[in-house]
Structure formats: C-alpha cells, structure tokens
Coordinates of all heavy atoms in Angstrom, one line a residue:
F192 N 0.8 -1.2 0.0 CA 0.0 0.0 0.0 C 0.9 1.3 0.0 O 1.9 1.3 0.7 CB -0.9 0.0 1.2 CG -1.9 -1.1 1.3 CD1 -1.7 -2.1 2.2 CD2 -3.0 -1.1 0.5 CE1 -2.6 -3.2 2.3 CE2 -3.9 -2.2 0.5 CZ -3.7 -3.2 1.5
D193 N 0.5 2.2 -0.8 CA 1.1 3.5 -0.6 C 0.5 4.3 0.6 O -0.5 3.8 1.1 CB 1.1 4.3 -1.9 CG -0.3 4.6 -2.4 OD1 -1.2 4.7 -1.5 OD2 -0.5 4.8 -3.6
R194 N 1.0 5.4 0.9 CA 0.5 6.1 2.1 C -1.0 6.4 2.0 O -1.8 6.2 2.9 CB 1.3 7.4 2.3 CG 2.6 7.2 2.9 CD 3.2 8.5 3.3 NE 4.6 8.2 3.8 CZ 5.3 9.1 4.4 NH1 4.8 10.3 4.6 NH2 6.5 8.8 4.8
L195 N -1.4 7.0 0.9 CA -2.8 7.4 0.8 C -3.8 6.2 0.8 O -4.9 6.3 1.3 CB -3.1 8.4 -0.4 CG -2.4 9.7 -0.1 CD1 -2.7 10.7 -1.3 CD2 -2.8 10.4 1.2
S196 N -3.4 5.1 0.2 CA -4.2 3.9 0.3 C -4.3 3.4 1.7 O -5.4 3.0 2.1 CB -3.5 2.8 -0.6 OG -3.4 3.1 -1.9
S197 N -3.2 3.5 2.5 CA -3.3 3.1 3.9 C -4.2 4.0 4.7 O -4.9 3.6 5.6 CB -1.9 3.2 4.5 OG -1.0 2.3 3.8
V198 N -4.2 5.3 4.4 CA -5.2 6.2 5.0 C -6.6 5.8 4.7 O -7.5 5.8 5.6 CB -4.9 7.7 4.5 CG1 -6.0 8.6 5.1 CG2 -3.6 8.2 5.0
F199 N -6.8 5.4 3.5 CA -8.2 5.0 3.0 C -8.6 3.8 3.8 O -9.8 3.7 4.3 CB -8.2 4.8 1.5 CG -9.5 4.3 1.0 CD1 -10.6 5.2 0.9 CD2 -9.7 3.0 0.7 CE1 -11.8 4.7 0.4 CE2 -10.9 2.5 0.2 CZ -12.0 3.4 0.1
V200 N -7.8 2.8 3.9 CA -8.2 1.5 4.5 C -8.4 1.7 6.1 O -9.0 0.9 6.7 CB -7.3 0.3 4.2 CG1 -7.3 0.0 2.8 CG2 -5.9 0.5 4.8
S201 N -7.8 2.8 6.6 CA -8.0 3.0 8.1 C -9.4 3.4 8.4 O -9.8 3.4 9.6 CB -7.0 4.0 8.6 OG -7.4 5.3 8.2
N202 N -10.2 3.9 7.4 CA -11.6 4.3 7.7 C -11.6 5.4 8.7 O -12.5 5.4 9.6 CB -12.5 3.2 8.1 CG -12.9 2.3 6.9 OD1 -13.2 2.8 5.9 ND2 -12.8 1.0 7.1
T203 N -10.7 6.3 8.7 CA -10.7 7.4 9.6 C -11.5 8.6 9.0 O -11.3 8.9 7.9 CB -9.3 7.9 10.0 OG1 -8.5 6.7 10.3 CG2 -9.2 8.9 11.1
N204 N -12.4 9.2 9.8 CA -13.2 10.3 9.4 C -13.0 11.5 10.3 O -12.9 11.3 11.5 CB -14.7 9.9 9.4 CG -15.0 8.9 8.3 OD1 -14.8 9.2 7.1 ND2 -15.5 7.8 8.7
H205 N -13.0 12.7 9.7 CA -13.0 13.9 10.5 C -14.2 14.8 10.0 O -14.3 15.0 8.7 CB -11.7 14.7 10.3 CG -10.5 14.0 10.8 ND1 -9.7 13.3 10.0 CD2 -10.1 13.8 12.0 CE1 -8.7 12.8 10.7 NE2 -8.9 13.0 11.9
N206 N -15.0 15.3 10.9 CA -16.0 16.2 10.5 C -15.3 17.5 9.9 O -14.4 18.0 10.5 CB -16.9 16.6 11.7 CG -18.0 17.5 11.4 OD1 -17.8 18.5 10.6 ND2 -19.2 17.2 11.9
E207 N -15.8 17.9 8.8 CA -15.2 19.0 8.1 C -15.1 20.3 9.0 O -14.1 21.1 8.8 CB -16.1 19.4 6.9 CG -15.4 20.0 5.7 CD -16.3 20.2 4.6 OE1 -16.9 19.2 4.1 OE2 -16.4 21.3 4.1
H208 N -16.0 20.5 9.9 CA -16.0 21.8 10.7 C -15.5 21.6 12.1 O -15.6 22.6 12.9 CB -17.4 22.3 10.7 CG -18.0 22.6 9.3 ND1 -17.5 23.5 8.5 CD2 -19.0 21.9 8.6 CE1 -18.1 23.5 7.3 NE2 -19.0 22.5 7.4
Q209 N -14.9 20.5 12.4 CA -14.3 20.4 13.8 C -13.1 21.2 13.9 O -12.3 21.4 13.0 CB -14.1 18.9 14.1 CG -12.9 18.3 13.4 CD -12.6 16.9 13.9 OE1 -11.5 16.7 14.6 NE2 -13.5 15.9 13.7
P210 N -12.8 21.6 15.2 CA -11.5 22.4 15.4 C -10.3 21.5 15.0 O -10.3 20.3 15.2 CB -11.6 22.6 16.9 CG -12.9 22.3 17.4 CD -13.5 21.3 16.4
A211 N -9.2 22.2 14.6 CA -8.0 21.5 14.3 C -7.5 20.7 15.5 O -7.4 21.2 16.6 CB -7.0 22.5 13.8
H212 N -7.1 19.4 15.3 CA -6.6 18.6 16.4 C -5.1 18.5 16.3 O -4.5 17.9 17.2 CB -7.3 17.2 16.4 CG -6.8 16.3 15.4 ND1 -7.2 16.4 14.0 CD2 -5.9 15.2 15.4 CE1 -6.6 15.4 13.4 NE2 -5.8 14.7 14.2
L213 N -4.5 19.1 15.3 CA -3.0 19.2 15.2 C -2.7 20.7 15.1 O -3.1 21.3 14.1 CB -2.6 18.5 13.9 CG -2.8 17.0 13.8 CD1 -2.7 16.5 12.4 CD2 -1.9 16.2 14.8
T214 N -1.9 21.2 16.0 CA -1.5 22.6 16.0 C 0.0 22.7 16.3 O 0.6 21.7 16.8 CB -2.3 23.4 17.0 OG1 -2.3 22.9 18.3 CG2 -3.8 23.5 16.5
L215 N 0.5 23.8 16.1 CA 1.9 24.1 16.4 C 2.0 25.1 17.5 O 1.3 26.1 17.5 CB 2.6 24.6 15.2 CG 2.6 23.8 13.9 CD1 3.1 24.5 12.7 CD2 3.4 22.5 14.1
K216 N 3.0 24.9 18.4 CA 3.2 25.9 19.5 C 3.8 27.1 18.9 O 3.5 28.2 19.2 CB 4.1 25.3 20.6 CG 3.5 24.2 21.4 CD 4.6 23.7 22.4 CE 4.1 22.4 23.1 NZ 5.1 21.7 23.8
N217 N 4.7 26.9 17.9 CA 5.4 28.0 17.3 C 5.5 27.7 15.8 O 6.1 26.7 15.4 CB 6.8 28.2 17.8 CG 7.6 29.3 17.2 OD1 7.3 29.8 16.1 ND2 8.6 29.8 17.9
A218 N 4.8 28.5 15.0 CA 4.7 28.2 13.5 C 6.0 28.4 12.8 O 6.1 27.9 11.7 CB 3.6 29.2 12.9
A219 N 7.0 29.0 13.4 CA 8.2 29.2 12.7 C 9.2 28.0 12.8 O 10.1 27.8 12.0 CB 8.9 30.5 13.2
V220 N 9.0 27.2 13.8 CA 9.9 26.1 14.1 C 10.0 25.1 13.0 O 11.1 24.6 12.7 CB 9.5 25.4 15.4 CG1 10.2 24.1 15.6 CG2 9.9 26.3 16.6
P221 N 8.9 24.6 12.3 CA 9.1 23.6 11.3 C 10.1 24.0 10.2 O 10.9 23.2 9.8 CB 7.7 23.5 10.7 CG 6.8 23.8 11.8 CD 7.5 24.9 12.6
V222 N 10.1 25.2 9.7 CA 11.0 25.7 8.7 C 12.3 26.0 9.3 O 13.4 25.6 8.8 CB 10.4 26.8 7.8 CG1 11.4 27.4 6.9 CG2 9.2 26.3 7.1
Q223 N 12.3 26.9 10.3 CA 13.6 27.4 10.8 C 14.4 26.4 11.5 O 15.7 26.4 11.6 CB 13.3 28.6 11.7 CG 12.8 29.8 11.0 CD 12.5 31.0 11.9 OE1 12.7 30.9 13.1 NE2 12.0 32.0 11.3
T224 N 13.8 25.4 12.2 CA 14.6 24.4 12.9 C 14.5 23.0 12.2 O 15.5 22.4 11.8 CB 14.1 24.3 14.3 OG1 14.2 25.6 14.9 CG2 14.9 23.3 15.1
N225 N 13.3 22.5 12.1 CA 13.1 21.1 11.6 C 13.6 20.9 10.2 O 14.3 20.0 9.9 CB 11.7 20.6 11.7 CG 11.2 20.5 13.1 OD1 11.9 20.8 14.1 ND2 10.0 20.0 13.3
L226 N 13.3 21.8 9.3 CA 13.7 21.7 7.9 C 15.2 22.1 7.8 O 15.9 21.3 7.1 CB 12.8 22.6 7.0 CG 13.0 22.4 5.5 CD1 12.7 21.0 5.1 CD2 12.1 23.4 4.7
A227 N 15.6 23.1 8.4 CA 17.0 23.6 8.3 C 18.0 22.6 8.9 O 19.0 22.3 8.3 CB 17.1 25.0 8.9
K228 N 17.6 22.1 10.1 CA 18.6 21.2 10.8 C 18.4 19.7 10.5 O 19.4 19.0 10.4 CB 18.4 21.4 12.3 CG 19.2 22.5 12.9 CD 19.0 22.6 14.4 CE 20.2 22.2 15.1 NZ 20.0 22.5 16.6
Y229 N 17.2 19.3 10.3 CA 16.9 17.8 10.2 C 16.2 17.4 8.9 O 15.7 16.3 8.8 CB 16.0 17.4 11.4 CG 16.5 17.8 12.7 CD1 15.9 18.8 13.5 CD2 17.7 17.3 13.2 CE1 16.3 19.2 14.7 CE2 18.2 17.7 14.5 CZ 17.5 18.6 15.2 OH 18.0 19.0 16.5
A230 N 16.2 18.3 7.9 CA 15.6 18.0 6.6 C 14.1 17.6 6.8 O 13.6 16.8 6.0 CB 16.3 16.9 5.9
G231 N 13.4 18.2 7.8 CA 12.0 18.1 7.9 C 11.5 16.7 8.2 O 10.8 16.0 7.4
P232 N 11.8 16.1 9.4 CA 11.5 14.7 9.7 C 10.0 14.4 9.7 O 9.6 13.3 9.4 CB 12.1 14.5 11.0 CG 12.3 15.8 11.6 CD 12.6 16.7 10.5
E233 N 9.2 15.5 9.9 CA 7.7 15.2 9.9 C 7.2 14.8 8.6 O 6.1 14.1 8.6 CB 7.0 16.5 10.5 CG 7.2 17.8 9.8 CD 8.4 18.5 10.4 OE1 9.6 18.1 10.2 OE2 8.2 19.6 10.9
Q234 N 7.8 15.1 7.5 CA 7.4 14.7 6.2 C 7.7 13.2 5.9 O 7.3 12.6 5.0 CB 7.9 15.6 5.1 CG 9.3 15.6 4.9 CD 9.8 16.7 4.0 OE1 9.1 17.2 3.2 NE2 11.1 17.0 4.1
R235 N 8.5 12.6 6.8 CA 8.9 11.2 6.7 C 8.3 10.3 7.7 O 7.9 9.2 7.4 CB 10.5 11.1 6.7 CG 11.2 11.8 5.6 CD 12.6 11.5 5.5 NE 13.4 11.9 6.7 CZ 13.8 13.2 6.9 NH1 13.6 14.1 6.0 NH2 14.4 13.5 8.0
Y236 N 8.2 10.7 9.0 CA 7.7 9.8 10.0 C 6.2 9.6 10.0 O 5.7 8.6 10.5 CB 8.3 10.1 11.4 CG 7.9 11.4 12.0 CD1 6.6 11.8 12.2 CD2 8.9 12.3 12.3 CE1 6.3 13.0 12.8 CE2 8.6 13.5 12.9 CZ 7.3 13.9 13.1 OH 7.0 15.1 13.7
C237 N 5.5 10.6 9.5 CA 4.0 10.5 9.6 C 3.6 9.4 8.6 O 3.8 9.6 7.4 CB 3.4 11.8 9.3 SG 1.6 11.7 9.1
P238 N 2.8 8.4 9.0 CA 2.4 7.4 8.1 C 1.3 7.8 7.1 O 1.0 7.0 6.2 CB 1.9 6.2 9.0 CG 1.5 7.0 10.2 CD 2.4 8.1 10.4
A239 N 0.7 8.9 7.4 CA -0.4 9.4 6.5 C -0.1 10.6 5.7 O -1.0 11.1 5.0 CB -1.6 9.7 7.4
G240 N 1.2 11.0 5.6 CA 1.5 12.1 4.8 C 0.9 13.4 5.2 O 0.6 14.3 4.3
V241 N 0.6 13.6 6.5 CA -0.1 14.8 6.9 C 0.8 16.0 6.8 O 0.3 17.1 6.4 CB -0.5 14.6 8.4 CG1 -1.0 15.9 9.0 CG2 -1.6 13.6 8.5
Y242 N 2.1 15.9 7.0 CA 3.0 17.1 7.0 C 3.7 17.2 5.7 O 4.4 16.2 5.3 CB 4.0 17.0 8.1 CG 3.3 16.9 9.5 CD1 3.1 15.7 10.1 CD2 2.8 18.1 10.1 CE1 2.4 15.7 11.3 CE2 2.1 18.0 11.3 CZ 1.9 16.8 11.9 OH 1.3 16.8 13.1
E243 N 3.6 18.3 5.0 CA 4.2 18.5 3.7 C 4.9 19.9 3.7 O 4.2 20.9 4.1 CB 3.2 18.5 2.6 CG 2.7 17.2 2.1 CD 1.7 17.5 1.0 OE1 0.6 17.9 1.2 OE2 2.1 17.2 -0.2
F244 N 6.1 19.9 3.3 CA 6.8 21.3 3.1 C 6.5 21.7 1.7 O 6.8 20.9 0.7 CB 8.3 21.2 3.4 CG 8.6 21.1 4.8 CD1 8.8 19.9 5.5 CD2 8.6 22.3 5.6 CE1 9.0 19.9 6.8 CE2 8.8 22.3 7.0 CZ 9.1 21.0 7.6
V245 N 5.9 22.8 1.5 CA 5.5 23.3 0.2 C 6.1 24.7 0.0 O 6.5 25.4 1.0 CB 4.0 23.4 0.0 CG1 3.4 22.0 0.0 CG2 3.3 24.3 1.0
K246 N 6.2 25.2 -1.2 CA 6.8 26.5 -1.5 C 5.7 27.5 -1.6 O 4.7 27.4 -2.1 CB 7.5 26.4 -2.9 CG 8.7 25.5 -2.9 CD 9.9 26.1 -2.2 CE 11.2 25.3 -2.3 NZ 12.2 25.7 -1.4
N247 N 6.1 28.7 -1.0 CA 5.2 29.9 -1.2 C 5.5 30.5 -2.5 O 6.5 30.1 -3.2 CB 5.5 30.9 0.0 CG 5.1 30.4 1.3 OD1 4.0 29.9 1.5 ND2 6.0 30.5 2.3
D248 N 4.7 31.5 -2.9 CA 4.9 32.2 -4.2 C 6.3 32.8 -4.3 O 6.9 32.9 -5.3 CB 3.9 33.3 -4.3 CG 2.5 32.7 -4.6 OD1 2.4 31.5 -4.9 OD2 1.5 33.4 -4.4
D249 N 6.9 33.2 -3.1 CA 8.2 33.9 -3.1 C 9.3 32.8 -2.9 O 10.4 33.2 -2.6 CB 8.3 34.9 -2.1 CG 8.1 34.4 -0.7 OD1 7.9 33.1 -0.5 OD2 8.1 35.2 0.3
N250 N 9.0 31.5 -3.1 CA 9.9 30.4 -3.1 C 10.5 30.1 -1.7 O 11.4 29.3 -1.5 CB 11.1 30.7 -4.0 CG 11.7 29.4 -4.6 OD1 10.9 28.4 -4.8 ND2 13.0 29.3 -4.8
T251 N 9.8 30.7 -0.6 CA 10.2 30.3 0.7 C 9.3 29.0 1.1 O 8.4 28.7 0.4 CB 9.9 31.4 1.7 OG1 8.5 31.8 1.6 CG2 10.8 32.6 1.5
D252 N 9.8 28.3 2.1 CA 9.1 27.1 2.5 C 8.1 27.4 3.6 O 8.2 28.3 4.4 CB 10.1 26.1 3.0 CG 11.1 25.7 2.0 OD1 10.7 25.0 1.1 OD2 12.3 26.0 2.1
R253 N 7.1 26.5 3.6 CA 6.1 26.5 4.7 C 5.6 25.1 4.9 O 5.6 24.3 4.0 CB 4.9 27.5 4.5 CG 4.0 27.0 3.4 CD 2.8 28.0 3.2 NE 2.1 27.7 2.0 CZ 1.1 26.9 2.0 NH1 0.7 26.2 3.1 NH2 0.5 26.6 0.8
L254 N 5.2 24.8 6.2 CA 4.7 23.5 6.5 C 3.2 23.5 6.3 O 2.5 24.3 6.8 CB 5.0 23.1 7.9 CG 4.5 21.8 8.4 CD1 5.2 20.7 7.6 CD2 4.6 21.6 9.9
Q255 N 2.7 22.6 5.4 CA 1.3 22.4 5.2 C 0.8 21.2 6.1 O 1.5 20.1 6.0 CB 1.0 22.2 3.8 CG -0.5 22.0 3.4 CD -0.7 22.0 1.9 OE1 -0.6 23.0 1.3 NE2 -1.0 20.8 1.4
I256 N -0.2 21.3 6.9 CA -0.7 20.3 7.7 C -2.0 19.8 7.1 O -3.0 20.5 7.2 CB -0.9 20.7 9.2 CG1 0.4 21.2 9.7 CG2 -1.4 19.6 10.0 CD1 0.4 21.8 11.1
N257 N -2.0 18.6 6.6 CA -3.3 18.0 6.0 C -3.9 17.1 7.1 O -3.9 15.9 7.0 CB -2.9 17.1 4.8 CG -2.1 17.9 3.7 OD1 -2.5 18.9 3.3 ND2 -0.9 17.4 3.4
A258 N -4.5 17.8 8.1 CA -5.0 17.1 9.3 C -6.1 16.2 9.0 O -6.3 15.2 9.7 CB -5.5 18.2 10.3
Q259 N -6.8 16.3 7.9 CA -7.9 15.4 7.5 C -7.4 14.0 7.2 O -8.2 13.1 7.3 CB -8.8 16.0 6.4 CG -8.1 16.0 5.0 CD -7.1 17.1 4.8 OE1 -6.8 17.9 5.7 NE2 -6.6 17.3 3.5
N260 N -6.1 13.9 6.9 CA -5.6 12.5 6.6 C -5.1 11.8 7.8 O -4.7 10.6 7.8 CB -4.4 12.7 5.6 CG -4.8 13.0 4.2 OD1 -6.0 13.0 3.9 ND2 -3.9 13.2 3.3
C261 N -5.0 12.5 9.0 CA -4.4 11.9 10.2 C -5.1 10.6 10.6 O -6.4 10.5 10.6 CB -4.5 12.9 11.3 SG -3.9 12.3 12.9
V262 N -4.3 9.6 10.9 CA -4.9 8.3 11.4 C -4.7 8.1 12.9 O -4.8 7.0 13.4 CB -4.3 7.1 10.6 CG1 -4.7 7.2 9.2 CG2 -2.8 7.0 10.7
H263 N -4.3 9.2 13.6 CA -4.4 9.2 15.1 C -3.3 8.3 15.7 O -3.6 7.7 16.7 CB -5.8 8.9 15.6 CG -6.8 9.8 15.0 ND1 -8.1 9.4 14.9 CD2 -6.8 11.0 14.3 CE1 -8.8 10.3 14.3 NE2 -8.0 11.3 13.9
C264 N -2.2 8.2 15.1 CA -1.1 7.3 15.7 C -0.3 8.0 16.8 O 0.4 7.3 17.5 CB -0.2 6.8 14.6 SG 0.9 8.0 13.9
K265 N -0.3 9.3 16.8 CA 0.4 10.2 17.7 C 1.9 10.1 17.6 O 2.6 10.6 18.5 CB 0.0 9.8 19.2 CG -1.4 10.3 19.6 CD -1.5 10.4 21.1 CE -0.9 11.6 21.6 NZ -1.1 11.8 23.0
T266 N 2.4 9.6 16.5 CA 3.8 9.6 16.3 C 4.4 11.0 16.3 O 5.4 11.3 16.9 CB 4.2 9.0 14.9 OG1 3.7 7.6 14.9 CG2 5.7 8.9 14.7
C267 N 3.7 12.0 15.7 CA 4.2 13.4 15.6 C 4.3 14.0 17.0 O 5.2 14.8 17.3 CB 3.3 14.2 14.7 SG 1.6 14.2 15.2
D268 N 3.4 13.6 17.9 CA 3.4 14.1 19.3 C 4.7 13.6 20.0 O 5.2 14.3 20.9 CB 2.2 13.6 20.0 CG 1.8 14.4 21.2 OD1 2.0 15.6 21.2 OD2 1.3 13.8 22.2
I269 N 5.2 12.5 19.6 CA 6.3 11.9 20.3 C 7.6 12.2 19.6 O 8.6 12.6 20.2 CB 6.2 10.3 20.3 CG1 4.9 10.0 21.1 CG2 7.4 9.7 20.9 CD1 4.4 8.6 20.9
K270 N 7.6 12.2 18.3 CA 8.9 12.3 17.5 C 9.3 13.7 17.1 O 10.5 13.8 16.7 CB 8.8 11.5 16.2 CG 8.5 10.0 16.4 CD 9.8 9.2 16.4 CE 10.5 9.1 15.1 NZ 11.6 8.2 15.1
D271 N 8.5 14.7 17.2 CA 8.9 16.0 16.8 C 10.1 16.4 17.6 O 10.1 16.4 18.8 CB 7.8 17.0 16.9 CG 8.2 18.4 16.4 OD1 8.5 18.4 15.2 OD2 8.2 19.4 17.1
P272 N 11.2 16.8 16.9 CA 12.5 17.0 17.7 C 12.4 18.1 18.7 O 13.1 18.1 19.7 CB 13.5 17.4 16.6 CG 12.8 17.2 15.3 CD 11.4 16.9 15.5
T273 N 11.5 19.1 18.5 CA 11.4 20.2 19.5 C 10.1 20.2 20.3 O 9.8 21.1 21.0 CB 11.5 21.6 18.7 OG1 10.5 21.6 17.8 CG2 12.8 21.8 18.1
Q274 N 9.3 19.1 20.1 CA 8.0 18.9 20.8 C 7.1 20.1 20.5 O 6.5 20.6 21.4 CB 8.3 18.7 22.3 CG 9.0 17.5 22.7 CD 8.2 16.2 22.4 OE1 7.2 15.9 23.0 NE2 8.6 15.5 21.3
N275 N 7.2 20.5 19.3 CA 6.4 21.7 18.9 C 5.0 21.4 18.4 O 4.2 22.3 18.3 CB 7.2 22.4 17.7 CG 6.6 23.8 17.4 OD1 6.3 24.6 18.2 ND2 6.4 24.0 16.1
I276 N 4.8 20.1 18.1 CA 3.4 19.7 17.5 C 2.5 19.3 18.7 O 2.9 18.6 19.6 CB 3.6 18.5 16.5 CG1 4.4 19.0 15.3 CG2 2.2 18.0 16.1 CD1 4.7 17.9 14.4
V277 N 1.3 19.9 18.7 CA 0.4 19.6 19.8 C -0.7 18.7 19.2 O -1.4 19.2 18.3 CB -0.2 20.9 20.4 CG1 -1.2 20.5 21.5 CG2 0.9 21.7 21.0
W278 N -0.9 17.5 19.6 CA -1.9 16.6 19.1 C -3.0 16.5 20.2 O -2.7 16.2 21.4 CB -1.3 15.2 18.9 CG -2.2 14.2 18.3 CD1 -2.3 13.8 17.0 CD2 -3.2 13.4 19.0 NE1 -3.2 12.9 16.8 CE2 -3.8 12.6 18.0 CE3 -3.7 13.3 20.3 CZ2 -4.8 11.7 18.3 CZ3 -4.7 12.4 20.6 CH2 -5.2 11.6 19.6
I279 N -4.2 16.8 19.9 CA -5.3 16.7 20.9 C -6.3 15.7 20.3 O -6.4 15.5 19.1 CB -6.0 18.0 21.3 CG1 -6.6 18.7 20.0 CG2 -5.0 18.9 22.0 CD1 -7.5 19.8 20.3
T280 N -7.1 15.1 21.1 CA -8.1 14.1 20.7 C -9.0 14.8 19.7 O -9.7 15.8 20.1 CB -8.8 13.5 21.9 OG1 -7.9 13.1 22.8 CG2 -9.7 12.4 21.4
P281 N -9.2 14.2 18.5 CA -10.2 14.8 17.6 C -11.6 14.6 18.1 O -11.9 13.6 18.8 CB -9.9 14.1 16.3 CG -9.1 13.0 16.6 CD -8.5 13.1 17.9
E282 N -12.5 15.4 17.6 CA -13.9 15.2 18.0 C -14.5 14.0 17.2 O -14.1 13.7 16.1 CB -14.7 16.5 17.5 CG -14.5 17.7 18.5 CD -15.4 18.8 18.0 OE1 -16.1 18.7 17.0 OE2 -15.4 19.8 18.7
G283 N -15.5 13.4 17.8 CA -16.4 12.5 17.0 C -16.0 11.0 17.0 O -16.7 10.3 16.4
G284 N -14.9 10.6 17.6 CA -14.5 9.2 17.6 C -14.4 8.6 16.1 O -15.0 7.6 15.9
G285 N -13.8 9.4 15.3 CA -13.8 9.0 13.8 C -12.8 8.0 13.4 O -12.4 7.9 12.2
G286 N -12.3 7.1 14.3 CA -11.4 6.1 13.8 C -10.0 6.3 14.3 O -9.7 7.2 15.1
P287 N -9.1 5.4 13.8 CA -9.2 4.5 12.7 C -10.2 3.3 13.1 O -10.4 3.0 14.3 CB -7.8 3.9 12.5 CG -7.1 4.2 13.7 CD -7.7 5.4 14.4
N288 N -10.7 2.7 12.0 CA -11.7 1.6 12.2 C -11.4 0.6 11.1 O -12.0 0.6 10.0 CB -13.1 2.2 12.1 CG -14.2 1.1 12.3 OD1 -13.9 0.0 12.8 ND2 -15.4 1.3 11.8
Y289 N -10.4 -0.3 11.4 CA -10.0 -1.3 10.4 C -11.0 -2.4 10.3 O -11.4 -3.0 11.3 CB -8.6 -1.8 10.7 CG -7.5 -0.8 10.6 CD1 -7.1 -0.1 11.7 CD2 -7.0 -0.5 9.4 CE1 -6.1 0.8 11.6 CE2 -6.0 0.4 9.2 CZ -5.6 1.1 10.4 OH -4.6 2.0 10.2
A290 N -11.6 -2.7 9.1 CA -12.5 -3.7 8.9 C -11.8 -5.1 9.0 O -10.7 -5.2 8.6 CB -13.2 -3.6 7.6
G291 N -12.5 -6.1 9.6 CA -12.0 -7.4 9.7 C -10.9 -7.6 10.7 O -10.2 -8.7 10.7
M292 N -10.8 -6.7 11.7 CA -9.8 -6.9 12.8 C -10.5 -7.3 14.0 O -11.6 -6.9 14.3 CB -9.0 -5.7 13.0 CG -8.1 -5.4 11.8 SD -6.9 -4.1 12.1 CE -5.7 -4.9 13.2
Ligands
LIG598 S1 -0.9 11.4 14.7 FE1 0.6 12.6 13.7 S2 2.1 11.2 12.8 FE2 0.2 10.1 13.2 S3 -1.0 10.2 11.4 FE3 -1.7 11.9 12.6 S4 -0.4 13.6 12.0 FE4 0.6 11.7 11.2

C-alpha cells in the first residue's frame, strides 16, 4: 500500500467543521529548525503524509498540515524534535476503524 491507500483503509473520518486537532506551538519552528537542521522529519515519519513542506509564491518554504488525513497514531506528538506539535483528541470518535480486525 502507498500512504494514501493506507489512510483510506484505516476508515478514519473527520467532520469538516471540527476544530484542528493538530496545531503548532510556534509556527516558525518547522521551517527554521526542523527543515533547516533535520531536513523536515515530519514529512517522513508520519504514516499518513499529513505534513508537507511546500513552496510559497516567493519560493520560501512553509509547512502544510493535511489534518484530515491523520490516522491518530500520535507519532508526531512523540517524534517532533522540538516537541512543537500539539496533538489533541479529535472530535467525534472518527477512527481508525479497520474492517476485519
Ligand atoms: S498522529 Fe501525527 S504522525 Fe500520526 S497520522 Fe496523525 S499527523 Fe501523522
């Protein structure tokens, strides 16, 4: 399975209007520290591809958080080198819900 297929089979759902369950303590840290020093580990350790470094129009980097893909493994809460990512329980009990387990 590729990453997005794995997200699909996890049957995880998020209500479109729920508050973000993944936030940053300091929005500058992902680019200034994680990307500069560690080549952005969040784009590699997340099994669901939630964290992506993308380019702004002026060619600077920014971290995009695709929270709707999160499968609630909490790896980011543990592995972020500066403990800058805050994971809170999402609303609604939306999974993961693996069929046949
Ligand atoms: S908890 Fe963190 S590492 Fe796990 S899927 Fe969600 S965003 Fe990715």
Side-chain angles (χ1 to χ4, degrees):
F192 296 109
D193 61 29
R194 283 189 183 191
L195 290 182
S196 300
S197 299
V198 172
F199 177 75
V200 298
S201 77
N202 283 317
T203 309
N204 287 303
H205 298 100
N206 184 317
E207 205 174 307
H208 302 294
Q209 73 173 247
H212 74 286
L213 297 165
T214 54
L215 302 171
K216 292 178 189 165
N217 181 340
V220 164
V222 170
Q223 289 178 3
T224 303
N225 292 5
L226 188 60
K228 274 180 111 169
Y229 308 113
E233 53 271 71
Q234 63 191 340
R235 296 188 298 278
Y236 61 61
C237 174
V241 167
Y242 300 99
E243 283 182 283
F244 285 96
V245 296
K246 293 285 184 193
N247 293 313
D248 290 341
D249 62 0
N250 211 33
T251 56
D252 295 293
R253 71 179 167 86
L254 181 67
Q255 177 171 292
I256 303 178
N257 304 306
Q259 71 279 8
N260 286 356
C261 178
V262 294
H263 310 155
C264 69
K265 287 200 80 181
T266 302
C267 55
D268 200 36
I269 298 163
K270 297 266 294 186
D271 185 57
T273 58
Q274 297 292 290
N275 188 49
I276 296 172
V277 179
W278 186 99
I279 59 167
T280 309
E282 285 183 356
N288 183 18
Y289 292 97
M292 292 189 74

